[in-house]
Amino acid sequence: MIEFTGVYFDGKTSRAYAVSVVFDGRTLHIRGVEGDYPALDIPLEDCTITPPLGNTMRSIQLPGGAQCQTSDTAAVSALERLTGQNRGMGFVHRLENRWKTAVGALAGLVLCVWVFVTYGIPFLAEKIAYSVPPELAEQMSRQAIEMLDRRFLKPSELDPGKTEKLQEEFQHLHSEIDPDSDYRLEFRKSPYIGPNAFALPSGLIIMTDELVDLADSNRELLAILAHETAHVKKRHGLRSIIQNSGVFLLVSALAGDITSITSTAASLPTLLARSGYSRKFETEADTVAALYMIRKGWGTGPFQAILLRITRDMADYPGESLLSSHPLTNQRVQHLRDIEASMPSGEAAE
Amino acid sequence: MTHFVCLNCGFSASEKDLDGIATCPECNVDLQPERPRRKDDSHTATITAPLGSQRCKPVFTGSAGEFFRIWIVNTFLTILTLGLYAPWAKVRERRFFYQHTVMDGQPFDYTAHPVALLRGYLIVGGGILLYYLAEAYNPLYSLMVFGIFSLVLPFLIYKSLRFFARHSVYRNIPFHFRGTLGESYKTYLLYPMLIPFTFGLIIPYWAFQRKKYFFGNIGFGTTANIFQGSAREFYKLYGLVVVLLVVIIFFSIPILMSFATMIPAPEAGIFNAGMIFFILSIYFTTLVVSTFVQQYIYAWTTNYCLGHSELGNIRFQSTLKAKQLFWIRITNILAIIFSVGLLIPWAKVRRTRYIIDNLTVIAGQGLDEFTAGVRPDESAYGDVATDFFDIDIGL
Ligand SMILES: [Zn+2]
């Protein structure tokens, strides 16, 4: 026998009737407290119990659109167990009702986000990046270079004779590192960016006149080109775009509908994740370039030299921070030395 | 002498004035003799408080701790299911706020079924994916998708309002929304398109029409809300906002300029510390000013629209203060940023409580006399779209 008091609404008017409810094991007997309305006997299996939520009132939907509300949550929970309704939401409610499980959910949430950001998003981004059709990559790259040409780059003023040899050596280089794709090397003058090089997803590599002037030998420039070729081969450009938008989507989804706040605050985690991702890609490209140089028997010396010289020179250029996201040069140079040191000496001399 | 009242609209007149007429001149409903007046309420009928009126204050009974637990568990489940649980989380969050809004001892309820929302999430999600794909392929296509979207938006808002009203329930009687699709297209497509041709002069009128679309078409049970606002007041509000903005800009420019000159001239390019400080202070000033203006408009509009609404014999009084709302918003933003989002539930509960606390409902004949109408089923995809794009639909 379950007994409780509550309020009855017939669903036709907004009038509230105080009622007492008695459940005899099969049927709910609903009786008006003042007067004889309502007087209903309804089998429990015809009732729909609304899922529990926090410490709010419970309500029972009766057939025909009527409703019974009560603050006696224990009684309704007992009825709920008898009918077997709301098993899923009842479980959620039990999680929500205790601080222990709520803190557990918080820990689980942090773990999920961490796993997703470190493994999930990069994995998905890689899958997506490799399924992007070449035409799309071509079109995106064309738009990007048009924008860069308008804003930051000027036509190259280098003597074509000077770069002819480099173009030739570059043909060898990319056919050895990535034989399946097309590559092009172009030069631009940019007092804004300074000595630098970057690759677009279509395989177009842009090198600045300033970088060519800074280099002591073509071998140094080939090290840079090997690094950029690795970026294209591993689709780092596309992957980082996809990963960054993934993080941004995740943060916005987590923060929910307080849009004005997320637009301000979401940029910070996105920025942090972006620098983490780009560091990974740079190290990967450096490794490819170093292995190539070692295989050629040149060693990583030229690569280290040009990196250090670029860093020394960079401070003079204002726009550098726009394009560069490379990790600290000292760490990169150390990474190159580590690779060379780990090689058996016979292989390096080959 | 006996007074007669119309239970539908609150019209009231003495037996003598009526001169034998037994139906309400506005609604054509039979007039009822008025209930005996209470002693403390013996003032004569005014437009804001009909005879025999009861003032009743809705209260918000939810606590931040209770909502934090609900929020964190549901967010976790949403992430764990890769977003599939989102509609369930949404319904639980809404139900929390509805069920803790208690008026005259009875809570509100939100009865939407998550599966209806899920369908909407999938349709809208597909549309957004299409937009981003189009944008990545060619910005021109995304412009086309945007054009299609603005054509569909009024339909989505119309659907959304119907869904929202149909599933908002009080005392087991649902609300309803009787706005037409044509009105929606006029409000959300025609007027915004006219903005450039009228040099923006239509903006206050547009704001008025948006509110009118909601407040003029919402209803509870079979009773329709009557909205008596006028566009002129909206012109006054926006005029005041413009004056306010001009004054603020006039005073803040010299201050910002002096900041800029205090810092040594740029040497190593444009990215030096002084410039960053200058940009940050502009950003911060813009944030503060725009937040204040937003809250000012929100407070005024809510107070005005509720004050000029009449739901049967019920009237509303909202006493929101822009200064308070601004303070709540700014401190909420800071709290959320410094708690890495953990105080989002506290911020939401705090703002809701302030808004509910400032609402008074003046009921002519108590809240027992509303009747339910037919209950058509509404699809949820409109609701999801407006939710996703955070479109302002009123309350
Ligand atoms: Zn790189």
Side-chain angles (χ1 to χ4, degrees):
Chain A
M1 189 87 101
I2 298 167
E3 292 183 34
F4 58 93
T5 56
V7 180
Y8 172 85
F9 296 103
D10 58 14
K12 297 182 184 72
T13 75
S14 55
R15 190 183 296 268
Y17 300 90
V19 288
S20 66
V21 182
V22 177
F23 177 67
D24 60 7
R26 230 190 79 75
T27 309
L28 288 172
H29 302 280
I30 303 167
R31 295 288 177 271
V33 173
E34 307 148 5
D36 47 12
Y37 184 82
L40 295 161
D41 303 309
I42 297 164
L44 183 62
E45 68 252 32
D46 293 349
C47 301
T48 311
I49 299 170
T50 315
L53 178 84
N55 52 26
T56 60
M57 278 202 211
R58 301 298 309 265
S59 58
I60 303 171
Q61 297 298 134
L62 308 172
Q67 187 190 50
C68 195
Q69 279 184 9
T70 178
S71 43
D72 192 341
T73 49
V76 178
S77 299
L79 289 177
E80 196 173 39
R81 272 194 297 278
L82 286 172
T83 59
Q85 288 179 20
N86 303 326
R87 288 229 173 90
M89 278 302 139
F91 174 67
V92 173
H93 176 66
R94 281 195 295 282
L95 293 181
E96 289 166 351
N97 240 13
R98 292 186 201 101
W99 276 105
K100 252 185 212 166
T101 45
V103 170
L106 175 62
L109 182 69
V110 171
L111 188 73
C112 275
V113 169
W114 184 77
V115 167
F116 204 59
V117 168
T118 24
Y119 301 106
I121 290 181
F123 176 78
L124 286 174
E126 196 179 336
K127 287 270 168 281
I128 298 170
Y130 278 106
S131 59
V132 166
E135 303 84 52
L136 183 56
E138 180 70 38
Q139 189 153 11
M140 284 166 68
S141 305
R142 201 177 320 131
Q143 271 158 19
I145 191 67
E146 275 168 17
M147 191 278 281
L148 288 168
D149 273 339
R150 264 198 314 274
R151 296 240 184 113
F152 305 109
L153 305 174
K154 290 180 185 153
S156 173
E157 290 168 7
L158 289 176
D159 173 18
K162 197 177 172 187
T163 57
E164 207 174 322
K165 183 92 183 29
L166 186 63
Q167 287 281 14
E168 224 169 82
E169 285 171 310
F170 175 61
Q171 294 299 327
H172 279 290
L173 179 141
H174 74 69
S175 61
E176 279 176 70
I177 293 180
D178 182 15
D180 302 328
S181 310
D182 292 331
Y183 283 86
R184 255 175 315 137
L185 172 62
E186 289 182 13
F187 298 93
R188 296 283 194 281
K189 187 178 170 62
S190 178
Y192 194 67
I193 298 171
N196 214 323
F198 55 89
L200 295 168
S202 63
L204 175 64
I205 295 173
I206 303 288
M207 190 175 262
T208 63
D209 291 6
E210 287 79 0
L211 182 62
V212 177
D213 291 338
L214 192 71
D216 277 348
S217 68
N218 273 3
R219 202 164 277 185
E220 290 183 0
L221 294 176
L222 284 172
I224 301 282
L225 288 171
H227 171 101
E228 297 304 332
T229 308
H231 276 322
V232 177
K233 186 188 179 192
K234 308 235 163 189
R235 309 227 167 178
H236 287 160
L238 285 174
R239 279 161 68 183
S240 69
I241 294 173
I242 298 165
Q243 288 178 5
N244 293 337
S245 27
V247 173
F248 184 77
L249 270 178
L250 182 72
V251 173
S252 333
L254 276 176
D257 41 14
I258 311 183
T259 37
S260 57
I261 298 169
T262 51
S263 56
T264 331
S267 46
L268 191 66
T270 313
L271 214 67
L272 287 175
R274 178 191 308 218
S275 66
Y277 287 146
S278 76
R279 204 167 282 213
K280 239 186 109 213
F281 289 156
E282 292 314 326
T283 312
E284 209 178 323
D286 278 353
T287 308
V288 172
L291 291 176
Y292 178 77
M293 303 283 289
I294 294 167
R295 204 163 58 235
K296 282 275 162 190
W298 303 336
T300 60
F303 197 5
Q304 294 176 29
I306 189 82
L307 279 179
L308 289 168
R309 217 172 304 129
I310 290 172
T311 318
R312 205 192 54 213
D313 212 49
M314 254 175 186
D316 303 340
Y317 293 91
E320 175 273 321
S321 58
L322 271 181
L323 280 171
S324 145
S325 52
H326 289 117
L328 292 168
T329 313
N330 290 341
Q331 285 174 19
R332 295 181 71 184
V333 168
Q334 191 53 51
H335 173 66
L336 295 174
R337 286 188 187 140
D338 291 347
I339 294 175
E340 199 153 18
S342 68
M343 284 287 155
S345 51
E347 204 173 317
E350 203 183 298
Chain B
M1 185 169 52
T2 326
H3 269 77
F4 282 87
V5 290
C6 167
L7 294 181
N8 208 21
C9 68
F11 167 83
S12 138
S14 70
E15 196 173 10
K16 197 178 73 191
D17 292 339
L18 278 169
D19 203 24
I21 306 165
T23 52
C24 170
E26 282 183 41
C27 320
N28 262 332
V29 174
D30 285 352
L31 293 175
Q32 305 287 327
E34 211 208 345
R35 285 179 181 177
R37 255 182 274 164
R38 287 207 219 138
K39 269 242 170 71
D40 57 330
D41 231 337
S42 56
H43 54 73
T44 46
T46 64
I47 191 89
T48 48
L51 288 164
S53 70
Q54 305 170 285
R55 293 174 80 83
C56 99
K57 285 194 80 70
V59 280
F60 187 73
T61 55
S63 75
E66 186 189 357
F67 182 49
F68 175 81
R69 296 194 305 264
I70 292 172
W71 176 78
I72 199 77
V73 167
N74 284 279
T75 309
F76 173 56
L77 291 174
T78 303
I79 293 289
L80 203 65
T81 56
L82 299 176
L84 221 62
Y85 180 81
W88 279 262
K90 186 86 221 165
V91 166
R92 272 188 102 61
E93 179 172 338
R94 283 227 181 128
R95 275 190 64 209
F96 173 84
F97 283 100
Y98 274 61
Q99 295 220 306
H100 275 302
T101 304
V102 177
M103 188 164 73
D104 197 30
Q106 303 300 331
F108 284 79
D109 199 1
Y110 181 68
T111 60
H113 201 280
V115 174
L117 283 171
L118 181 65
R119 228 176 295 139
Y121 270 96
L122 293 178
I123 293 171
V124 172
I128 289 161
L129 197 69
L130 193 74
Y131 177 79
Y132 281 114
L133 285 181
E135 190 174 40
Y137 193 69
N138 187 340
L140 213 67
Y141 290 158
S142 77
L143 211 67
M144 261 165 56
V145 176
F146 180 76
I148 294 168
F149 173 71
S150 19
L151 280 178
V152 178
L153 183 68
F155 176 71
L156 292 178
I157 291 173
Y158 161 79
K159 278 296 196 187
S160 151
L161 287 170
R162 289 179 69 99
F163 185 83
F164 154 80
R166 164 70 185 80
H167 291 290
S168 300
V169 175
Y170 177 64
R171 290 167 169 254
N172 201 21
I173 303 280
F175 285 75
H176 69 251
F177 182 77
R178 295 261 162 83
T180 64
L181 189 58
E183 262 178 286
S184 184
Y185 270 94
K186 216 164 77 183
T187 312
Y188 290 98
L189 188 66
L190 179 68
Y191 293 133
M193 264 166 45
L194 291 178
I195 291 173
F197 303 107
T198 56
F199 306 106
L201 284 173
I202 203 175
I203 289 175
Y205 186 69
W206 182 38
F208 166 70
Q209 287 294 334
R210 288 200 309 261
K211 291 296 159 190
K212 193 177 157 213
Y213 186 57
F214 179 79
F215 284 96
N217 289 308
I218 193 83
F220 177 54
T222 50
T223 312
N225 187 46
I226 296 162
F227 179 55
Q228 290 162 323
S230 83
R232 188 195 294 179
E233 298 300 315
F234 277 75
Y235 272 94
K236 279 189 202 161
L237 166 74
Y238 279 83
L240 195 68
V241 166
V242 169
V243 170
L244 197 74
L245 278 179
V246 168
V247 169
I248 290 170
I249 292 168
F250 186 79
F251 279 105
S252 59
I253 282 181
I255 296 169
L256 289 174
M257 293 297 270
S258 65
F259 269 136
T261 49
M262 261 158 55
I263 289 136
E267 286 151 7
I270 55 164
F271 289 93
N272 64 351
M275 210 59 202
I276 288 168
F277 183 72
F278 180 65
I279 290 168
L280 274 181
S281 52
I282 288 185
Y283 179 75
F284 190 69
T285 314
T286 323
L287 186 78
V288 168
V289 170
S290 63
T291 306
F292 184 77
V293 167
Q294 266 170 22
Q295 301 309 313
Y296 186 82
I297 292 179
Y298 178 81
W300 185 89
T301 316
T302 309
N303 292 348
Y304 181 80
C305 292
L306 282 170
H308 288 77
S309 285
E310 215 179 318
L311 184 65
N313 53 33
I314 288 181
R315 288 187 162 268
F316 306 91
Q317 192 183 19
S318 169
T319 52
L320 297 176
K321 301 268 187 304
K323 243 198 311 193
Q324 292 273 14
L325 279 173
F326 170 72
W327 172 246
I328 289 173
R329 176 68 95 192
I330 289 287
T331 44
N332 275 357
I333 291 176
L334 291 176
I336 288 170
I337 289 173
F338 286 111
S339 67
V340 212
L342 286 182
L343 283 175
I344 289 174
W346 172 80
K348 280 187 180 173
V349 165
R350 180 175 174 231
R351 187 174 155 86
T352 308
R353 181 172 292 136
Y354 175 73
I355 291 169
I356 301 286
D357 278 353
N358 275 281
L359 184 65
T360 307
V361 173
I362 305 147
Q365 300 295 325
L367 299 166
D368 281 350
E369 310 293 346
F370 290 93
T371 50
V374 278
R375 300 174 162 198
D377 272 333
E378 301 296 343
S379 56
Y381 45 88
D383 194 48
V384 175
T386 47
D387 221 60
F388 194 92
F389 293 103
D390 198 22
I391 294 157
D392 147 57
I393 48 162
L395 286 173

